[in-house]
Structure formats: structure tokens, C-alpha cells
Amino acid sequence: MHTVKEAAQITGLTEHAIRFYTDKGLVPTVRRSEHNVRLFDEQSINWLFGVRCLKQSGMPIEAIKTYIDLCLQGDPTVPERSAMMKKHGEEARRQLEEAKRHVAHLEEKMLLYEEILAGKTPDTTNPATWERMRYMHGDVFYASTVLQEK
Amino acid sequence: MHTVKEAAQITGLTEHAIRFYTDKGLVPTVRRSEHNVRLFDEQSINWLFGVRCLKQSGMPIEAIKTYIDLCLQGDPTVPERSAMMKKHGEEARRQLEEAKRHVAHLEEKMLLYEEILAGKTPDTTNPATWERMRYMHGDVFYASTVLQEK
DNA sequence: GCTTGCCTTCGTGTAACACGAAGGCTTTAA
DNA sequence: TTAAAGCCTTCGTGTTACACGAAGGCAAGC
């Protein structure tokens, strides 16, 4: 049995957030001690992980609440729950693809900066490089004397 | 030259967001027509893409503003800018890893639901499966008669 | 008996917009 | 020529998912 503090350490959520979630009914298995202290067993911890996953992958709290309420109703709601997870899974995959693109973009930018710091002048004779710099990393060279005009 | 509406279509941002960004100075190359209409050239569109990338990968607007102001100051700020992108790149990679885990988690959940809908009972004699269900997908089977006790 | 840790409610603040209203200027089409 | 469409502004309110602090209370350990 874990307290809020421990649950926070385990899940990486804040105590505030955990109280917030339990109060909203997102952790149906949480219990209280005789002195009103929230007690999380392993199952509750796992609900927390589930909520964290859904939330961090972009599902609004209200939708998470809806999903959890469906879970509590048992088998008859399986089709609906399945549909929800399928839909949200697609959304999460879209976000993952975006995230990959963002990381790639940032990595290119970092490489350019590293080269400049290393004293290298980017190879502007390579049209591909030139295009990339001009169109994707104009910020790196904005107001720059490293890359002379033309 | 593009209007706000066109810029919105090109970048996938809303007109509201674009006005918000330009007003905050996040698109330094944007100009106004003689009648005060925002005009975006290709470079401005690319600033927008850059801002979008930074924002969507979790950088707060204020930090983006700081970065852009450094860009405007030219070469002397290259080390600082480089450091910022390096740090934020790491953050973005962390988020990417998390996103991967979330997608994997959701995919497992979806598979379980699909199997239930297909009439399959999960193989609880396999301890690994059992553990996964019990500890990672308790929600799927909460209040379920599909998976009998024990 | 004091500190520590948990609880509660209250109230305010935050980010990054969303949305609508009101009012004003232009350009274009009927 | 007048009406509609598209851009602009400022104003004001609403939203989400908490963060943070304060005040007050109960319970356990030293």
C-alpha cells in the first residue's frame, strides 16, 4: 500500500496531479484508510500509469473519465472501449510521426550549429544543402555573416 | 505573398494562432501591406514552421521568443543558440521515447480488445500474458466475466 | 508537546490559445 | 452604388490541467 507521495515517486506524476485524478474518479480502485488517507495498491498504481499514458498521448481528462466509467460497467461496453482505444491509438501514432519529424528537424539544426562552432562553413555549392538551410533553417543563418549573401 | 488564411492552410496552424505568434514577434520577417494586412513570404512561412516545430515538441512560447531574439542578433549568439537547440533536442528525444512507449502500450491494449471481440479468451496459462494483463491492462478486464477469477 | 505528514477547502495564477462581438477599412462583384 | 467578403483591431470571457500557497485539522512518532 502506497501513499500519495510514494505513488508520485513511482509514477513520475506530482502529488497535486494524483489528488486531482483520484478526486475525478480516474483511479477507481483507490481506497482510504480509517483516517482518510489515500491508499494505492498495485492495481491503483497501474490505473495511474494507464491514465498517464492516455493523458500524455493527448487524450483530454474528460475522455479518460468516459473510458474509465465504461471499464467499470464491464463486458457490455467492450466494443465501445475497443473503438475508443483504436481511435486514440491512431491519434497517438500520428503524434509519434510528428514527434519523429520534429526530432529530425532539430537534429539537422544542431548539426549546422555544431559545424559553425567548429569553424566549418556549410557547403553552399551543394544545392540540397543550400535549400535545406534557406528553407528549413533560415533562423540559423538569419543576420549571419558566416554565410555571405549570394 | 500569403495572407493569414493561406499561411494557416499551409502550416496547419489556426488563423488565431498565427496572429498570436506574429503579435508576439515570433515571425520577424512578416511585413504589412499598405493597408495593414499581414503578408507572409516563403521565409515567413518557414519561421512559422520552425515555431510550430519548437512549440509542438514542448518548448514554451517564451523560450521560443528568447531563441528568436537571439537569432536576430546574429553571429555572436550562435553558441547560446546552439546550446538551446541541443538541450531542447534532448528533451524532444525523451518525449519521442515516451511517445513510442505509449503507442506500444495502446497497441497491446487494442490487441487484447480485438481478441475479446473475436471471441478469443486470452491465454492465462502463459504467465507473461497473465502478468501483462494483470499489471498493464487491468482496465481491459476490470469487472469482466470474460476472464474468470483465478 | 512538537514536528511531520497526511488530509480538506479556498482562492488565485498560468499557458496558449478559442471564440465571439463590435467596429472600421477595402476591394470586388452584382 | 450598394452590398458582401475579407482583412484588421481591441475587448472580454472561457477553457484545460493543473501549480502553488494558505489555513485549519487530525494522527502518529520521538
Side-chain angles (χ1 to χ4, degrees):
Chain A
M1 290 296 182
H2 308 280
T3 73
V4 168
K5 191 169 206 171
E6 289 164 359
Q9 285 162 354
I10 295 170
T11 59
L13 298 164
T14 67
E15 300 183 34
H16 267 292
I18 291 178
R19 294 214 181 87
F20 183 76
Y21 292 159
T22 57
D23 292 355
K24 293 251 161 183
L26 303 187
V27 192
T29 57
V30 77
R31 294 276 168 273
R32 297 293 187 124
S33 77
E34 49 181 343
H35 292 304
N36 209 25
V37 175
R38 288 177 189 81
L39 292 180
F40 300 81
D41 57 10
E42 292 310 306
Q43 204 181 1
S44 302
I45 296 290
N46 283 301
W47 278 107
L48 279 176
F49 274 117
V51 170
R52 182 171 173 261
C53 170
L54 291 175
K55 186 215 68 179
Q56 289 191 346
S57 53
M59 184 177 279
I61 298 288
E62 269 215 32
I64 300 178
K65 172 72 174 154
T66 301
Y67 172 72
I68 288 177
D69 288 347
L70 288 173
C71 289
L72 301 189
Q73 292 171 42
D75 296 345
T77 64
V78 162
E80 200 173 340
R81 283 187 268 157
S82 175
M84 280 188 82
M85 287 303 106
K86 195 170 175 181
K87 194 166 178 186
H88 179 63
E90 282 164 22
E91 180 56 31
R93 264 195 300 279
R94 262 193 295 281
Q95 289 186 17
L96 177 60
E97 291 311 312
E98 279 254 39
K100 280 184 192 168
R101 278 196 289 277
H102 292 330
V103 166
H105 188 128
L106 290 171
E107 228 133 66
E108 260 191 32
K109 218 183 273 297
M110 280 163 53
L111 256 177
L112 280 175
Y113 274 130
E114 295 293 334
E115 287 184 15
I116 294 172
L117 287 173
K120 275 190 212 165
T121 308
D123 175 22
T124 55
T125 63
N126 180 335
T129 310
W130 175 251
E131 287 294 299
R132 276 225 315 282
M133 288 187 304
R134 182 148 160 48
Y135 287 115
M136 297 186 54
H137 303 292
D139 53 330
V140 174
F141 295 103
Y142 191 86
S144 164
T145 59
V146 171
L147 202 61
Q148 299 300 333
E149 294 298 326
K150 255 233 133 182
Chain B
M1 288 297 181
H2 308 280
T3 74
V4 168
K5 192 170 206 171
E6 289 164 358
Q9 284 163 354
I10 296 170
T11 58
L13 297 164
T14 67
E15 301 184 33
H16 267 293
I18 291 177
R19 294 214 181 87
F20 184 76
Y21 292 160
T22 56
D23 292 356
K24 293 251 161 184
L26 302 188
V27 191
T29 57
V30 78
R31 294 275 170 274
R32 298 294 186 124
S33 77
E34 48 182 343
H35 291 304
N36 209 25
V37 175
R38 289 179 189 78
L39 293 179
F40 299 81
D41 57 10
E42 292 310 306
Q43 204 181 3
S44 301
I45 296 290
N46 284 299
W47 278 107
L48 279 176
F49 273 118
V51 169
R52 182 171 172 261
C53 170
L54 291 175
K55 186 215 68 177
Q56 289 191 347
S57 53
M59 184 177 280
I61 298 288
E62 269 215 32
I64 299 178
K65 171 72 174 152
T66 302
Y67 173 72
I68 289 178
D69 287 347
L70 288 174
C71 289
L72 301 188
Q73 291 171 42
D75 297 345
T77 65
V78 163
E80 201 173 339
R81 283 187 269 157
S82 175
M84 280 188 82
M85 286 304 106
K86 195 169 176 183
K87 195 166 176 185
H88 180 62
E90 283 164 21
E91 181 56 31
R93 265 194 300 279
R94 260 193 297 281
Q95 289 187 17
L96 178 59
E97 291 310 312
E98 280 254 38
K100 281 183 191 168
R101 278 196 289 277
H102 292 330
V103 166
H105 188 127
L106 290 171
E107 228 133 65
E108 260 190 33
K109 218 183 275 297
M110 279 165 53
L111 254 178
L112 281 175
Y113 274 130
E114 295 293 336
E115 288 184 13
I116 294 172
L117 287 174
K120 277 191 213 163
T121 308
D123 175 22
T124 54
T125 62
N126 180 336
T129 309
W130 175 252
E131 287 293 299
R132 276 225 315 280
M133 288 185 305
R134 181 148 161 48
Y135 287 115
M136 297 186 56
H137 303 291
D139 53 330
V140 174
F141 295 103
Y142 191 86
S144 164
T145 59
V146 171
L147 200 61
Q148 299 300 334
E149 293 297 327
K150 255 231 124 173

